[in-house]
Structure formats: structure tokens, C-alpha cells
Amino acid sequence: MSLVFAGICSHGPGMTGRAHLVQNTERRDEFFAKLDMLRAELRESGAEALIVVAAEHFANFFMNNMPAFCMGIADHYEGPIEDPAWLRIPRRRIPGNSDLSGRLVREVMQSVDTAYAEEWKFDHGIMVPLNFLTPDYDLPVVPANINCQGPPLTPLSRAWAFGEALRRACDAVPERIALIGTGGISHWPATPDSGKINEAWDREFLRRLAQQDKAGLLTYSDEETYREGGQGAFEIRTHIATAAAARGQAAWLYYTAELPIFAVGCTVGRLEVG
Amino acid sequence: MSLYQLQKSLFTLNREPVAQAQFKADREAFLDQYELTDEEAQALRDGDIGLLYVLGVNGQILMHFAAFLGIAWFDYLELMRQGVSRHGPVRAGVYAMTGGGASFTPEGDRT
């Protein structure tokens, strides 16, 4: 039928793996309540499948053959690829839908040269959002990756074009489709600076995202992003693609920089589908 | 410098149970499959997280190797800091330390 739901959220492995160590439990519970709210709204949308626009971290894609974009076309996936005890998410099979995925990929390819994959082991970048948003794993998932890790990175303008292509593809199929973009804004994950967050930079990015400010979203250079937001901020590509797919302003956004143990400014929100 | 090969070895180790079994059973045979400098091979052989970090291994790859070795999260962060103290700044890649070695996570403060 069309795109019926668009949202964004963080995916730090600490959100599950280190949740029990958090000192600021009040803020943690507030953040998790917002993720619950997004889960409820996703369910209320009646979505029949969920596209997760992700920024994976060398679980499937490496510099031996790095795609700018890749979409999954399998009937099922597996995750997490990480040690389940480390991530505190049990390893399991996640439903896909090869028929639907194939139709979406064919439509996306009309304007963006996405790679595709029949095998995909989900890492925390997809498993953490699913853990909060579809905890029963009852919604078929279509993973859609943007290279945010191995430079040369996918240009922001192409991330926007990918989001537009995903939207056209969603609107061309009879099913009701939801889309979640998951990535960090500023963060320095897996470095000694883990927990460092540039709140002002994050809030300015979210302002542009919330207002469908395409020009503002596409002006960030990789040099500025690395300097102000760290290597983790290269994941803004997932949010930019989501904004392009949604074509609408933010219905609501939640952000807190007060959970550094999650190594990211924690973000949840829903965008209007315009 | 063969950072690509070093990271490839850890990427493979992180995702392949067969490689993990080989690393545990016959570490030299695992190392022989990659074109590594002596320093890289030694860092991998010793599980030297600090040196691997300084050599430029991407943190998204390195943190899982640390977990594989049974190193807890805050110990992993500290080992990277010690690596920079011992060997100097990160030599390659985009995962350099920018905070002077300070902790940004109250839960991890050791003082």
C-alpha cells in the first residue's frame, strides 16, 4: 500500500549489554519508555513489514567488498552475530520476506544501485532496535545498510537519494511498510572516549531532521562530522535516509545526553509520513 | 604496515566459529593465514588490546575481540588508554583517542 510509519532510534550495544550497570536509572527508564512508545505506535500503524535502515559494524560487510548500500532479500536472518552474553540478547532467527524484499529492491534499483544479500547476520545495529521495537520478532524485517564505517563512505546526498528510493519502493507495493532509521549522532564508540557526546551538535542535527531541512542535513562534510561528532556520527546517513523516505517533519523526538554508558546521545522519535 | 590484513583477521575471527576454534587450538596456524608484520602478529598472538588499538584496528572490530578474550567493557577502555600511553597516538584509521585519556562514563570511573 505505502509507507505507513517512519521512526528513528539509537542502537548502542550498551542499551542492552550494559543497561544493568546504569547509575542514572531514572533517565534510562525514561528513555526506554520512549522506545516503548515508539513500539506501540509502530504496532498501531498496522505495518506488515519493517525496513531497518542500519549502519552495520563489520558484521557482514568489510573492505574486501564494501557496498555503499545493501538490502536483504532473505526469508530469514540470524542475530546477534556478537556474543549473546555480551549483548544480552539471545541468538535467534529473525523473519524476513524474500518476495516483498525482492520487489522493493527492484524498485529501489530504478534510481539507486543497491547491492543485495541473501545472507545477513544482524549485529547490534539491528538487534538492539528490534529488541525494543518488535520484541516478539513477529514482523518480517528488510535490512537496508548504508556504509557508515569503512571510508570512503556513502555520500550524504546518496543517503538522501536512497531514502527517496525506499519511499518510492514502499509506495509501489500493496503491503503496509514501516521504516526505522537507526544510528548515532555524535559519539566515539569503542574508543577510550566512549561516552563522549557533543550535545549541542546533536540538537542542531535533530532540529534540521525534525524540520525536513534537506539543505541543512546535506551540508555536513565528513571532516566536520568527524571533528565535531566523532566517527560514530558518520551514522547520520541512516537518519538522513529516513527523513528522505518520510518526507515529513518530526511528530515527536526524545533526546538525552545523560546516559554516557550507552556511548551515544540517546535518541528516539517518529516522523510524519508526508 | 598491513592494517587491512590485521583487521581482516579480526573480522573473520569475530564472525566465524571455525576461526574462533582455530585461534584457541592453534594460534600460529590462524596467524599464518594473514600477511602481518612482526609487530601485528605479536599483538594478535598476545591479545594486546592496547597495541592493536594503536596500530589502528577499528574499535567496532576490536571491542568484539576483547569480549572474545573475556575482557570486561571498562577494562577494554582502560587497555586502550594504556596502549596509547605505552606506544603513542593511534597510527591509522578513524578511531583515534581525542579526550586525552579521560573517562566519559561515571560507571567506569576507577577512582
Side-chain angles (χ1 to χ4, degrees):
Chain A
M1 187 181 97
S2 62
L3 185 71
V4 296
F5 179 93
I8 61 168
C9 70
S10 308
H11 65 231
M15 287 165 56
T16 51
R18 298 189 290 278
H20 62 296
L21 300 175
V22 170
Q23 290 175 358
N24 190 347
T25 54
E26 183 183 348
R27 197 63 66 235
R28 178 197 64 193
D29 294 347
E30 179 184 273
F31 172 46
F32 285 178
K34 293 295 181 184
L35 285 161
D36 272 345
M37 189 168 131
L38 194 66
R39 176 183 53 73
E41 293 182 359
L42 170 59
R43 181 169 286 277
E44 286 163 13
S45 76
E48 298 165 87
L50 173 65
I51 297 174
V52 182
V53 179
E56 78 133 42
H57 319 76
F58 307 116
N60 303 271
F61 311 117
F62 190 65
M63 280 70 79
N64 60 341
N65 191 4
M66 179 64 81
F69 306 105
C70 188
M71 294 176 66
I73 57 167
D75 266 329
H76 56 80
Y77 304 93
E78 183 187 302
I81 192 170
E82 297 96 340
D83 179 357
W86 179 83
L87 192 59
R88 294 188 176 234
I89 297 178
R91 190 164 289 154
R92 57 165 300 133
R93 180 175 278 204
I94 299 100
N97 183 330
S98 62
D99 171 59
L100 171 64
S101 300
R103 284 182 278 126
L104 291 171
V105 166
R106 283 187 188 88
E107 185 60 35
V108 168
M109 282 178 166
Q110 296 299 319
S111 54
V112 173
D113 301 326
T114 182
Y116 60 85
E118 286 214 42
E119 292 182 41
W120 197 314
K121 294 180 179 180
F122 291 172
D123 75 0
H124 66 270
I126 292 180
M127 291 306 291
V128 169
L130 294 183
N131 176 74
F132 287 98
L133 299 178
T134 61
D136 298 327
Y137 298 91
D138 51 358
L139 203 55
V141 172
V142 182
N145 197 70
I146 304 175
N147 175 23
C148 305
Q149 284 292 340
L153 304 172
T154 306
L156 301 190
S157 60
R158 298 303 296 158
W160 183 274
F162 185 52
E164 289 183 325
L166 287 170
R167 174 60 182 274
R168 282 193 291 270
C170 291
D171 290 349
V173 298
E175 292 89 345
R176 299 171 66 85
I177 310 292
L179 184 149
I180 292 283
T182 175
I185 316 176
S186 73
H187 62 313
W188 286 255
T191 75
D193 307 327
S194 176
K196 180 180 173 184
I197 292 160
N198 185 343
E199 181 173 354
W201 196 81
D202 286 355
R203 290 192 182 278
E204 172 57 21
F205 177 82
L206 288 175
R207 187 191 67 75
R208 297 179 193 189
L209 185 80
Q211 296 178 357
Q212 272 285 310
D213 178 3
K214 177 184 175 185
L217 287 170
L218 299 187
T219 54
Y220 294 97
S221 68
D222 283 349
E223 292 73 22
E224 178 199 348
T225 298
Y226 185 61
R227 184 179 67 246
E228 299 295 329
Q231 69 287 122
F234 293 143
E235 294 176 351
I236 58 175
R237 285 157 175 79
T238 64
H239 297 309
I240 287 172
T242 303
R247 298 183 196 150
Q249 301 197 351
W252 58 270
L253 281 178
Y254 172 83
Y255 174 87
T256 179
E258 295 178 37
L259 292 166
I261 191 171
F262 291 165
V264 67
C266 295
T267 311
V268 195
R270 187 170 62 79
L271 305 184
E272 303 284 4
V273 176
Chain B
M1 195 69 187
S2 48
L3 180 58
Y4 173 78
Q5 288 284 322
L6 179 61
Q7 295 195 106
K8 179 84 185 286
S9 71
L10 289 169
F11 165 73
T12 304
L13 190 61
N14 286 344
R15 59 176 273 121
E16 302 293 347
V18 172
Q20 292 165 10
Q22 186 187 35
F23 187 86
K24 284 176 178 167
D26 189 347
R27 201 165 291 198
E28 293 307 316
F30 174 83
L31 294 173
D32 283 347
Q33 298 171 94
Y34 301 94
E35 296 173 27
L36 304 172
T37 65
D38 291 345
E39 187 179 39
E40 290 164 343
Q42 194 60 40
L44 206 48
R45 188 179 289 116
D46 295 343
D48 187 338
I49 296 297
L51 181 53
L52 291 167
Y53 176 63
V54 168
L55 289 172
V57 174
N58 186 298
Q60 297 289 348
I61 295 173
L62 187 58
M63 71 173 171
H64 298 305
F65 182 54
F68 172 69
L69 296 176
I71 297 167
W73 178 252
F74 293 112
D75 294 331
Y76 162 66
L77 301 184
E78 188 57 32
L79 286 169
M80 288 189 288
R81 293 186 190 107
Q82 290 175 8
V84 172
S85 296
R86 195 166 297 151
H87 304 290
V90 172
R91 299 174 198 170
V94 292
Y95 273 69
M97 188 172 83
T98 63
S103 167
F104 290 88
T105 313
E107 287 86 346
D109 288 346
R110 300 301 167 90
T111 53

